[in-house]
Amino acid sequence: MKHIISLYESINSTARNNSDCPPVVLPEEIFFTISIIGVLENLMVLLAVIKNKNLQSPMYFFICSLAISDMLGSLYKILENILIMLRNMGYLEPRGSFETTADDVVDSLFILSLLGSICSLSVIAADRYATIFHALQYHRIVTSRRALIVLAVIWACCTGSGITIVTFSHHVPTVIAFTALFPVMLAFILCLYVHMFLLARSHARRTSTLPRANMRGAVTLTVLLGVFIFCWAPFVLHVLLMTFCPADPYCACYMSLFQVNGMLIMCNAVIDPFIYAFRSPELRDAFKKMIFCNRYH
């Protein structure tokens, strides 16, 4: 977020006086390259589902939602680099009205990426829960039409929330509310996970078996959630430390890793498609057909 970067730069000189940790600076070319790869990979996920009717099911619609969230995170960094380049070339007036508006739009993409990822993971968890424990009624309960309606509502709420957060991002309560969304939503997902796996173990003891494909989907979701927490939690912690203890030497030492934390977010968008391909034979075959121009059999 540009607002967070600006605030970080303004307090960084004060914090550096209390810390021996120099800021870690990564080349912008690395950010740009990883972002391009992230956009292309997640675009392949969307195209694979659009082009293959056997993948057009609620589960893959939810995966597409997560892919869109990842793609927005990568697109945010690409657009930010373009704005910086135009400003350095003199085409944009520094701190001008156009740049300020463009920054707000780009920052909204960043917030939308985080909110969309959390909501997509939540709805995937609910879908896996229904698949495992309501297998006989699943196709009646979770239809493609209902899945699309749920996703439309989710993205409408995320868009409204993203615009609101960016508009009031200079206020501390907004920062607190933004960072609180992360642990609250993750707590909901983790509770659903614990309940799901406890019931799965109990069910397995009674029936000696569970649908293997359904449990495979639950494991895939666990991997996706683990990667999401690993990639996003350092940034959320950075925002909290920057808000509540910007001058503390220990906090300042952690905040020197700001660009590393940003790099982890970009890497999340690159890693997720590999997880889809590794865990889903159907999606893996679709990728191969796309890469080899339908010559793969």
Side-chain angles (χ1 to χ4, degrees):
M1 292 177 63
K2 188 64 67 64
H3 295 310
I4 293 177
I5 294 174
S6 300
L7 180 58
Y8 168 71
E9 290 174 346
S10 67
I11 68 174
N12 195 40
S13 58
T14 302
R16 198 182 299 126
N17 295 332
N18 301 323
S19 173
D20 295 328
C21 303
V24 178
V25 180
L26 300 176
E28 285 294 328
E29 291 79 8
I30 296 180
F31 280 98
F32 191 77
T33 301
I34 293 179
S35 299
I36 290 290
I37 295 173
V39 169
L40 294 177
E41 285 185 3
N42 286 283
L43 188 59
M44 280 188 63
V45 174
L46 298 178
L47 291 175
V49 174
I50 292 173
K51 294 180 63 175
N52 293 271
K53 290 189 179 296
N54 62 314
L55 296 179
Q56 294 176 8
S57 63
M59 180 185 71
Y60 286 105
F61 290 158
F62 298 145
I63 288 178
C64 283
S65 178
L66 184 58
I68 291 173
S69 300
D70 289 338
M71 193 161 59
L72 289 176
S74 297
L75 188 61
Y76 150 79
K77 192 60 184 178
I78 294 173
L79 295 177
E80 183 188 60
N81 282 0
I82 292 175
L83 288 176
I84 292 174
M85 181 179 65
L86 292 176
R87 185 179 60 185
N88 292 340
M89 294 174 63
Y91 292 109
L92 288 180
E93 178 187 354
R95 306 290 180 180
S97 59
F98 178 81
E99 186 188 15
T100 301
T101 302
D103 285 345
D104 288 342
V105 172
V106 172
D107 288 347
S108 296
L109 292 179
F110 180 84
I111 300 298
L112 192 56
S113 175
L114 175 58
L115 297 179
S117 295
I118 292 176
C119 292
S120 297
L121 287 169
S122 299
V123 75
I124 291 173
D127 177 72
R128 291 301 88 198
Y129 184 92
T131 303
I132 293 174
F133 300 108
H134 301 281
L136 297 179
Q137 299 86 16
Y138 174 78
H139 293 292
R140 180 174 58 84
I141 298 173
V142 185
T143 63
S144 295
R145 181 173 179 274
R146 288 177 179 175
L148 292 174
I149 291 175
V150 167
L151 290 176
V153 172
I154 285 175
W155 280 100
C157 293
C158 288
T159 301
S161 300
I163 294 173
T164 302
I165 290 173
V166 170
T167 303
F168 300 99
S169 60
H170 295 291
H171 299 80
V172 173
T174 305
V175 176
I176 296 174
F178 167 67
T179 53
L181 286 173
F182 187 83
V184 168
M185 293 299 292
L186 288 184
F188 163 75
I189 297 174
L190 290 174
C191 288
L192 191 59
Y193 270 76
V194 172
H195 186 59
M196 182 167 57
F197 282 109
L198 287 177
L199 287 179
R201 187 173 64 176
S202 174
H203 184 76
R205 287 174 178 174
R206 293 196 308 268
T207 63
S208 301
T209 182
L210 271 174
R212 189 169 182 177
N214 294 348
M215 289 307 298
R216 185 180 180 86
V219 173
T220 300
L221 178 58
T222 305
V223 176
L224 288 171
L225 181 62
V227 171
F228 174 77
I229 294 174
F230 178 80
C231 293
W232 279 92
F235 172 80
V236 175
L237 177 60
H238 177 98
V239 175
L240 287 173
L241 296 180
M242 188 175 62
T243 303
F244 295 106
C245 59
D248 183 87
Y250 296 104
C251 295
C253 200
Y254 179 83
M255 288 189 294
S256 67
L257 302 173
F258 177 75
Q259 291 199 5
V260 176
N261 297 337
M263 180 66 69
L264 286 175
I265 295 175
M266 300 299 105
C267 289
N268 184 40
V270 175
I271 295 172
D272 280 354
F274 283 102
I275 298 175
Y276 308 148
F278 181 75
R279 300 293 303 177
S280 171
E282 297 87 358
L283 199 54
R284 185 164 60 245
D285 289 342
F287 286 159
K288 289 179 180 179
K289 290 179 181 179
M290 290 176 62
I291 293 173
F292 295 105
C293 301
N294 293 322
R295 289 195 294 266
Y296 173 79
H297 297 286

